[in-house]
Amino acid sequence: MTAILNESADDLAGTEKVYAFFREQLLSRTLTVGDRLLGERELCLRLGVSRPVLREALRSLAMLGFLDIRHGKGAYVRKADIGVLSDFFTFCLAQQPDMMDDIMQARVAIECQAIRLACVRATDGDVSRIGSLLHRLMETLHDVDDGGEADFAFHMAIVEASRSPALVTLYQSISELLKRSHVQRRLETSGTPGIIDYLVEAHRDVFLSILARDPDAADQKLRDHFAIGDELRRKSFIAAFSRKAAPQEKD
């Protein structure tokens, strides 16, 4: 039993060596997308791991979308699949209480910085795309699912216009949860008086602030949008609770 445990521990340590080596090679830019890794024999000698351990570690990296293993040719660095990261965050965060509220806070942090950068970095094409998505959002105001999807696309375009790979990656990694949040918030506030006018005005003001290339104004408009949205959601909860309580009071 001790021998088995020691072997397992050695395998785990060997796997960590492979991961650490691969990570360092990427961070130092020694390896980039499309590059071929050293051969198995060279890697085993360099890292001091066995071939079975190396192969298993490389297979794991391939499953995560970081490597492309071509039989008879070797392993090549591939561009990471953001979908894998999105699944990871979804599985992790889905287990937490108050997940949607927490996701909203992350959204505020990412988008408010992104819109400031977008005011400075956005190309004419970026601005045109945001405008087109604003038009799509207006066309889906009365549809919870399509409207929520259009709302997400509008805000995603703002983050992409920041031209910040880090912010875009972080936002995409929680995209499935964000889409669910958009639809859920639309559903919760669909019966709130003035919600349609609010959606039109709030998103139009955010877009116009980007057109004006004013980071401070854009940041504030976006924060106002989030704050008013939260207030409308709170009111919808109170109204729904009041409707449920009314029949009981009559009885």
Side-chain angles (χ1 to χ4, degrees), residues 46-131:
R46 183 164 180 173
L47 301 177
V49 298
S50 66
R51 283 201 173 187
V53 168
L54 175 66
R55 288 174 178 172
E56 187 60 33
L58 295 183
R59 274 197 294 268
S60 296
L61 290 170
M63 288 179 64
L64 291 171
F66 301 135
L67 289 179
D68 178 16
I69 298 178
R70 305 172 191 174
H71 296 294
K73 295 183 178 180
Y76 294 78
V77 180
R78 64 177 294 185
K79 186 175 182 180
D81 180 4
I82 193 65
V84 175
L85 186 59
S86 179
D87 287 341
F88 175 79
F89 272 98
T90 300
F91 293 148
C92 288
L93 296 175
Q95 302 172 36
Q96 298 183 13
D98 301 322
M99 174 192 65
M100 285 304 181
D101 288 338
D102 194 36
I103 284 295
M104 190 62 196
Q105 294 306 313
R107 179 186 167 195
V108 172
I110 295 171
E111 282 194 43
C112 286
Q113 178 60 19
I115 201 170
R116 297 185 72 89
L117 293 175
C119 286
V120 178
R121 299 178 178 178
T123 65
D124 290 342
D126 292 329
V127 175
S128 177
R129 181 163 179 267
I130 296 171

Side-chain angles (χ1 to χ4, degrees), residues 11 70 75 83 85 98-99 103 136 164 169 228-229 250:
D11 288 351
R70 305 172 191 174
L85 186 59
D98 301 322
M99 174 192 65
I103 284 295
R136 176 186 163 199
S164 167
T169 299
I228 295 172
K250 291 179 181 180

Side-chain angles (χ1 to χ4, degrees), residues 115 118-119 122 127 130 158 205-214 218:
I115 201 170
C119 286
V127 175
I130 296 171
I158 292 174
D205 286 350
V206 168
F207 176 61
L208 290 176
S209 68
I210 296 174
L211 278 179
R213 302 283 182 170
D214 187 335

